Amino acid sequence: MAFHGLVKYSDITVDGYPKIQYHGFIGNNRTAMLVAMNGYIDWGCLPNFNSPAVFSSILDKKKGGYFAIYPSDTADVYVDQYYKELTNILVTEFIKNGKVLLRLTDFMPDSEYGKISFPEVHRFVETFSDPVRITVDFKPTFNYATERPLIERVQHGFIFSTEKENIGISSEYQLRRNADHVYADIDMDPRSSSWFVALYGIHHLYRPTDYKSYLRLQETTDYWRKWASNSTYAGMYHSMVMRSALALKVLFYEPTGMMVAAPTASLPEAIGGERNWDYRYTWIRDTAYVIEALASIGYKREAVSFLYDMMDVISRENKIRTIYSIDNSDDLVEKELDFEGYRGSKPVRIGNKAVDQLQIDQYGSIVRAIHAMEKAGGVVNSYLWDFVEEMMAKIEYLWKYPDSSIWEFRTEPKQYVYSKVMSWAAFDSAIAIARDLGLSAPIKRWKTIQDEIWNDVVSKGFDSETGSFVQYYGSKNVDASLLRLPILGFIPANDQRFIGTMKRIENELMVDGYLFRRYKEDDGLKGDEGSFLMLTFWYIEDLILMKRLKAARSALESIIEKANHLGLYSEEIDEKTGDFLGNFPQALSHLGIIRVAPKLEEALLKRVSRINE
C-alpha cells in the first residue's frame, strides 16, 4: 500500500504554516523532529522529547526556530514525501515538469546500541540532471525563544550558544548570518550532493564528512529494518500496520522505556481554539493499549518491558498519576508561552494540568495492562502481584467517587459511567490473573465488589427512556467512551442495552466517514474540536464483536484513506476539510490500527473457514 502523492508546493502552507498533515517525522528513541513537505523542520526538541523546543516555528512562524532546505525557486514545483522502506528515514522530493529537481533525505542516527545518544539531524541533498539553486536557513531557539544565543562563525559553520546549551550547523558551503539565523543560497551542480548536519551539545564543529553521515545512515537503516523484521504480522494491511508500528517505536524514550503520547505540544484540536495541550508525556491509561497492540504483532519484549518500566516509576513515587514525565523529571507544571500558536491557536501550553486530576479509569488501566502482559506471555512476579492487590484495595473504595473522566474534563467531577466500568474491568482482570496463575487472592470478595459495580452502573448509568447507557449518572447524553463496554467485556456486543447505546452514538456523535466526536457535554473549554480518531477504532472493534464484518472492513478502509501521505495520523481530523488537528503523530491513533487490523482479518478468516466446512 503506497501512501505518498504529489502536493503543489504553494498548497503546503496556510496562513504561513505548513498543514499538520503535510509533515513526516524522524526520531532516535530520545526525541523527534517534524519535517514539513516544504523542507522545513518546524518542530523538534533537543536532546530529549521533553526538552524545550529548538525548532518551534509550527507554533510561531516569527519567533519559533526552524531548519529549512528547499529549492530557491518554488514556482510550479510539486513535492513528494515518503519513507525508505521499513525505516523512519524520510525522503522529500521536489519535482518540476515531471522530473526530480532535488531530493532531501532526513534522519536522526539510531542503532541497536540504544543507550548511545546522537542528538543530531543529518540532511542529505542531491541534485539530478539539472543545476539547482537551494536555500538553506537555520534558526535554532533556546528555552522557547526566551533566551538570546551568542552566534559564532567557526571554520565549518556556525555555533549558537547560551550559558547552558550549544547547537551547531556543519556545512561544506559558506553560510551567512542575518540577525538571529544563518542562511545561504547555494548553486548546486547537476548530479551533485552535500550533507548538512545539525548537532546539539557541541563546542567544536568539524567538516560534515567527519560526522560519518553515510555510515550513520546505513546503521540507522539496518536498525529500523532489523526491528521491523521481528513483526509477526503479514496480513493485507501490512504496510499500514508496519508504518504505525515504526511510528510508535520512535515515540519510546530509550533511557527509561517510557512512551510519549505524541512528540509535539499545543497543536490545536480546533483552529483558533484553546484546546491546545502538551502530549510529550506518558499517559497511564495508554499502557494496556500499548501492550495489547504491540504483543498482537510480535513485539512482546517491548510490551513487557514498557509495563515494567512504567511500574518502576509508579513504585518510586508510591502513587499513580494520570501522566508521567518520560525521565522522572518534575516538568509537568502547565504554563503558557508567548507564542502566536499554530495558525493563531492560543494559548500555547507546555506542561499538563491533567496530572493533578482524579481519573479513576487509570487504576483499571494499569491492572488491565498487567493482565494483557500476562496473556502475552510476560511474567507476573511477586512484586507485580503485590502491586495488583494494592490497586484493588484502592479501587474498592475509589470506584464510588466522582472524577474527571477519561476525557480529563476541567469542570466539576461527576459519576462517569466509563470510570465505573474501568473499575469493574480491574476486578475482572485481577480475578483472571489469580485464576490463570493460581495465585492467592480474595477472589470471592473481589467478585462481590465487581458485581456491585455492575449492578450500580446498570441501575444508575442506563437510561431506560432512551434505551442506552449515558455519560454519567443522571445524564441523558451519550459519550463515545461507552463504545468500550463490549471490548472490556462489561456487556455483550449483541445485548439490547448496548445496541441501543451504539445507535445513539452513531446518530448523535458519528459524522461523515466513520468519524466520531467524543461527547456533547460542556467540558469547561471554549470552542469546538475535531473528530477523535481513536473512537473509530473502538467502533470497528465493536462491529467485529457484533460480527458485522462487512461494516467493520468498510470503516477500517475508510479510516486508512484518511491517513496522510506517509500513513501517519494526528489525534483528530476536521471532518469537513479532512485536515489533521491535534498533536502529531499520535500514539493512540496508531495503536488503534495495530489492534484492529489483525482482529478483523482473524474474524474474516474464521467466517471463510465456517463457510468452507
Side-chain angles (χ1 to χ4, degrees), residues 376-407:
V379 175
V380 178
N381 61 16
S382 55
Y383 152 72
L384 264 190
W385 186 241
D386 187 61
F387 175 83
V388 169
E389 294 223 57
E390 283 185 31
M391 287 300 99
M392 302 320 297
K394 289 182 179 178
I395 297 170
E396 277 191 37
Y397 67 87
L398 266 184
W399 75 266
K400 297 180 180 179
Y401 281 72
D403 76 334
S404 296
S405 99
I406 182 177
W407 306 130

Side-chain angles (χ1 to χ4, degrees), residues 138-159:
F138 184 73
K139 177 192 170 184
T141 57
F142 296 84
N143 198 18
Y144 299 105
T146 60
E147 295 183 29
R148 190 170 181 175
L150 172 69
I151 304 174
E152 181 185 7
R153 181 194 294 275
V154 293
Q155 186 175 0
H156 301 292
F158 280 84
I159 295 177

Side-chain angles (χ1 to χ4, degrees), residues 403-445:
D403 76 334
S404 296
S405 99
I406 182 177
W407 306 130
E408 302 176 351
F409 286 118
R410 299 193 174 196
T411 52
E412 282 297 309
K414 295 183 175 68
Q415 300 280 2
Y416 289 100
V417 167
Y418 182 74
S419 299
K420 312 293 183 193
V421 171
M422 281 302 297
S423 297
W424 176 94
F427 283 99
D428 195 55
S429 288
I431 291 167
I433 297 169
R435 287 175 173 163
D436 288 348
L437 303 179
L439 299 170
S440 298
I443 290 178
K444 188 174 179 181
R445 188 173 85 247

Side-chain angles (χ1 to χ4, degrees), residues 232 289-304 372-373 375-377 594:
T232 56
Y289 302 148
V290 174
I291 292 163
E292 290 169 1
L294 291 181
S296 73
I297 58 170
Y299 293 105
K300 292 183 180 181
R301 183 179 175 211
E302 280 82 358
V304 172
M373 188 271 292
K375 288 193 292 184
I594 293 172

Side-chain angles (χ1 to χ4, degrees), residues 10 27-28 60 79 120 129 140 157 162 176 206 215 237 287 302 341 399 438 459 463 467 474 483 517 548 560 602:
S10 58
N28 64 354
D60 193 309
V79 185
E120 306 170 1
S129 58
T162 64
R176 299 191 299 278
Y206 305 101
L215 178 59
Y237 301 107
T287 52
E302 280 82 358
W399 75 266
S459 63
D463 180 60
L483 289 168
R517 296 300 183 98
R548 293 171 55 189
I560 285 174
E602 183 183 356

